[in-house]
Amino acid sequence: IMREYSVADYIAQYGQPELVNGKLDLSKKKITSLFGLDKFDLRSKTLSLDISGNYLYDMRLDLQPLILPFAGFEDLEELSLNNCQLQYLSE
C-alpha cells in the first residue's frame, strides 16, 4: 500500500520547485495527490507543467469544486500527465 504523498508534502520536504524557462517539472516525484499545487509561488509564470511519471491513479478527489489545484496557472500552455497510472479523471 502506497501512502499519500501530495505536492504539499513535496514542497515541505524539498522546498519550492524551480521554474526553468517557464517549465515546472514535478515529474517522477512519487506524487499521489495534487493537493498543494495551488500554493506554488510562480504558478502565474508557469507555461508548462510536467507531472508525468507520478502515481495520480484517481484525480477525482483532486478536482472537486472546492479544491482547485490548477488555480493561478493563467498562462499554462502545456500539461503533461504521461505515465501517471490514471484510472479516473473528472470532467
Side-chain angles (χ1 to χ4, degrees):
I1 296 175
M2 182 179 294
R3 77 170 190 87
E4 182 171 314
Y5 187 68
S6 68
V7 173
D9 294 326
Y10 177 85
I11 290 172
Q13 186 172 3
Y14 298 105
Q16 290 276 328
E18 189 175 334
L19 186 67
V20 178
N21 295 324
K23 181 176 183 178
L24 174 58
D25 186 359
L26 290 173
S27 64
K28 301 177 184 172
K29 305 293 189 221
K30 300 181 181 176
I31 294 170
T32 62
S33 167
L34 295 179
F35 177 77
L37 184 61
D38 61 332
K39 303 300 185 226
F40 176 62
D41 290 340
L42 298 174
R43 62 189 182 276
S44 65
K45 295 180 177 167
T46 302
L47 302 175
S48 175
L49 174 58
D50 186 357
I51 51 178
S52 62
N54 286 295
Y55 303 105
L56 300 172
Y57 175 76
D58 187 350
M59 287 182 58
R60 290 178 294 186
L61 298 176
D62 286 329
L63 300 175
Q64 297 296 316
L66 297 177
I67 302 170
L68 303 170
F70 299 109
F73 286 89
E74 294 94 13
D75 293 329
L76 189 66
E77 298 172 358
E78 180 181 6
L79 173 63
S80 179
L81 294 167
N82 299 327
N83 301 315
C84 280
Q85 303 176 6
L86 282 174
Q87 298 292 319
Y88 304 101
L89 180 64
S90 299
E91 292 178 22

